[in-house]
Amino acid sequence: METFVPAGRSLSVFRRLCYAVGHFLNDLCGAMWFAYLLVYLHSVLGFHSTNAGVMLLLGQIADGVFTPLVGYGSDRTVCVYGKRKTWHLFGTVCVVLSFPFLFNRCLACNDNTPQQAQMLYYTPFVIIFQLGWAATQISHLSLIPELVSSESDKVELTAYRHAFTVVANILVYTVAWLLFNFQSQHNVDPSFTDSLGRVDIPLFGTLALILLGTGTLFSLIFHVGTKEGMSASESENQLIRPSPSQDAFPGPVFQWKHWLKEPSFYQVAFLYMFTRLIVNLSQTYISVYLTDSLMLPKNFIAIIPLVMYVSGFVCSPAMKPVSKLIGINVTYFVGLLMVFGFATWVFVDKSMGVKSIYGAAVLLGAGSATILVISLSMTATLIGEQTQSGAFVYGSMSLTDKVANGVGVVLIQSIRPDNIEICDPDCVGFYRDVMVSVTGGVAVAAALCLITLVIWPIRIRNS
């Protein structure tokens, strides 16, 4: 029997770009979810801090539950349109139908409506949004090892994808900054202040609609320009070729249960979880750190995250050449050093002037971009040619990250001091300590996990 060996697979620049924009809608909505949900629920709608944290935890748990289920279903879907693109389309529809309701006033509520009733109103929209987000994310990630085969090409395609993630975040914060500026320049209400409040409800609703329309357009570009599979003749000629030197059976085909026996599966899962904890929790709490701890005007919750993502965008093109030169493990470690540098800066400079926060934001943005791209590339390397179960792997990775992020937010919100805005200086420093812990503390844990990958490199051992 002939052995079939996968040939190198690569994409044109046009196809890479069409693929990369496929997660743009998710990135736009995800940036607004993590950066502004807590601020919106607590500071704008007036939710108690614990209730706001519970709503975010609900979303994270729903996403965590849906991701492995979506992965399992995606791996087994048979569709002429393509199993990954079918799930991507399903997810896009769910996001479009649910996201506008999350950042708008409860339709049947007034100022006297109990918070529990408002939470019940938002719950189904949170669940539908997270189902759609998970379906889009997992299907899009699962295409990477199916579209390209070499490790450097996977890093490059992941970097393309992350570059548009950064562009999406830049767009979110740019539009938010413009809306805040427009509001302040055209508001004639004498009671208007630079603090967040119910007056900002229309602003967040407008931001959500702008992002939704823009992201939907890019999803259309992805579906038109990305070809999930080739014809049978193309597959035979380009994707596989027989090896004339030996007669052997093809390698084993992995199903979901086989991955659970692989040590590398757990190594990569924990590293990805720590990476997402750094990226998502820092994005979630940077806004309240700026407004509650540093007492900066509300437009800074758009300016500083914008600086972070511009620095990440500048770093993205260097990911492939740097990782080829020094290896993906060392590249990840360099990213961790930048993240730890941010944590050290925030810890030492407690007052953190405006110039200092700009410099620290550059470090965090560049470091976060680096570790996220490399951790996703490691996942693609783990999957290798076992693309038939790739969605399950990505879904499992996402499960660990979503649950960990949700639990982390609830723990932080539950220990948050009441009336933090009017308490003593040590109390006001609560969110400074949070930023140090979720960047520096988790970076140390990620470094320990990285050491295990240096000692026992990523590979399938039980084949």
Side-chain angles (χ1 to χ4, degrees):
M1 179 179 293
E2 292 178 322
T3 300
F4 292 98
V5 181
R9 299 190 299 273
S10 61
L11 296 175
S12 65
V13 173
F14 174 75
R15 296 295 183 192
R16 292 175 205 165
L17 291 174
C18 287
Y19 166 80
V21 301
H23 206 252
F24 201 66
L25 173 61
N26 256 24
D27 291 328
L28 291 171
C29 296
M32 190 168 179
W33 168 272
F34 281 111
Y36 295 138
L37 183 69
L38 283 182
V39 171
Y40 178 74
L41 293 177
H42 177 62
S43 300
V44 178
L45 294 186
F47 277 36
H48 188 274
S49 61
T50 302
N51 290 339
V54 167
M55 292 304 297
L56 196 145
L57 174 63
L58 172 65
Q60 295 304 100
I61 291 178
D63 194 358
V65 170
F66 286 137
T67 42
L69 296 178
V70 167
Y72 183 85
S74 177
D75 288 335
R76 283 154 182 77
T77 298
V78 178
C79 183
V80 175
Y81 185 60
K83 59 183 180 179
R84 309 303 186 196
K85 289 178 66 177
T86 298
W87 279 89
H88 187 285
L89 181 61
F90 167 76
T92 300
V93 172
C94 289
V95 170
V96 169
L97 293 178
S98 60
F99 190 72
F101 294 94
L102 297 178
F103 287 91
N104 275 285
R105 190 192 304 268
C106 171
L107 295 179
C109 301
N110 55 46
D111 293 343
N112 298 320
T113 303
Q115 287 188 21
Q116 288 74 15
Q118 296 184 58
M119 293 171 69
L120 287 175
Y121 169 84
Y122 287 111
T123 293
F125 297 115
V126 169
I127 293 174
I128 295 172
F129 167 66
Q130 293 296 349
L131 170 60
W133 206 96
T136 304
Q137 180 199 35
I138 299 307
S139 58
H140 193 253
L141 284 171
S142 301
L143 279 170
I144 294 177
E146 296 188 7
L147 294 176
V148 294
S149 57
S150 72
E151 181 176 292
S152 62
D153 283 339
K154 290 173 183 176
V155 172
E156 183 178 37
L157 196 58
T158 304
Y160 268 81
R161 180 183 185 274
H162 183 71
F164 278 97
T165 298
V166 174
V167 170
N169 281 271
I170 291 173
L171 180 61
V172 170
Y173 299 121
T174 300
V175 174
W177 176 72
L178 291 173
L179 290 174
F180 279 125
N181 276 2
F182 181 85
Q183 181 196 55
S184 62
Q185 292 173 8
H186 293 81
N187 199 299
V188 295
D189 187 347
S191 64
F192 177 79
T193 68
D194 275 334
S195 300
L196 290 166
R198 298 188 72 83
V199 67
D200 297 304
I201 292 177
L203 185 149
F204 282 96
T206 301
L207 177 60
L209 290 176
I210 292 173
L211 300 181
L212 199 65
T214 305
T216 302
L217 175 62
F218 279 92
S219 292
L220 178 62
I221 294 173
F222 163 78
H223 279 275
V224 172
T226 301
K227 307 300 180 184
E228 181 171 337
M230 295 182 175
S231 65
S233 60
E234 285 180 304
S235 295
E236 184 176 354
N237 293 330
Q238 297 184 32
L239 295 186
I240 56 175
R241 51 175 180 255
S243 172
S245 61
Q246 57 180 336
D247 294 325
F249 290 97
V253 177
F254 265 45
Q255 301 302 325
W256 67 270
K257 59 185 178 182
H258 297 114
W259 288 111
L260 301 181
K261 302 176 183 178
E262 291 295 326
S264 289
F265 175 82
Y266 297 99
Q267 289 175 280
V268 175
F270 275 105
L271 189 70
Y272 183 74
M273 180 187 73
F274 292 135
T275 301
R276 278 295 186 179
L277 278 172
I278 294 171
V279 174
N280 292 344
L281 290 184
S282 64
Q283 185 179 15
T284 298
Y285 284 102
I286 188 70
S287 295
V288 286
Y289 168 63
L290 295 170
T291 56
D292 287 8
S293 290
L294 299 183
M295 305 297 183
L296 294 173
K298 63 184 178 183
N299 64 325
F300 272 82
I301 70 174
I303 296 173
I304 298 304
L306 179 61
V307 172
M308 289 168 50
Y309 282 96
V310 168
S311 65
F313 180 75
V314 172
C315 287
S316 292
M319 297 293 178
K320 181 178 180 179
V322 170
S323 64
K324 289 186 69 174
L325 179 65
I326 63 177
I328 59 174
N329 290 336
V330 178
T331 305
Y332 186 93
F333 183 69
V334 170
L336 280 183
L337 288 179
M338 288 188 281
V339 171
F340 195 78
F342 165 84
T344 304
W345 197 337
V346 172
F347 178 76
V348 172
D349 190 356
K350 292 182 170 33
S351 60
M352 190 64 76
V354 173
K355 291 183 179 179
S356 295
I357 193 62
Y358 279 120
V362 170
L363 274 180
L364 180 59
S368 296
T370 301
I371 62 176
L372 184 56
V373 168
I374 297 302
S375 65
L376 287 171
S377 300
M378 288 178 176
T379 307
T381 299
L382 172 67
I383 294 171
E385 295 301 326
Q386 301 290 348
T387 58
Q388 73 289 332
S389 56
F392 171 78
V393 176
Y394 281 114
S396 300
M397 303 294 159
S398 189
L399 170 63
T400 62
D401 117 62
K402 298 303 188 303
V403 173
N405 275 284
V407 171
V409 167
V410 167
L411 288 176
I412 292 170
Q413 292 301 107
S414 64
I415 63 175
R416 175 189 184 275
D418 291 330
N419 300 320
I420 194 171
E421 294 83 358
I422 60 174
C423 62
D424 58 56
D426 290 336
C427 181
V428 170
F430 173 76
Y431 284 119
R432 180 190 65 240
D433 297 337
V434 169
M435 290 301 296
V436 172
S437 300
V438 302
T439 53
V442 180
V444 172
L448 294 175
C449 189
L450 181 65
I451 291 174
T452 69
L453 287 170
V454 174
I455 299 174
W456 300 287
I458 298 172
R459 68 182 180 88
I460 296 177
R461 293 171 170 80
N462 296 320
S463 58

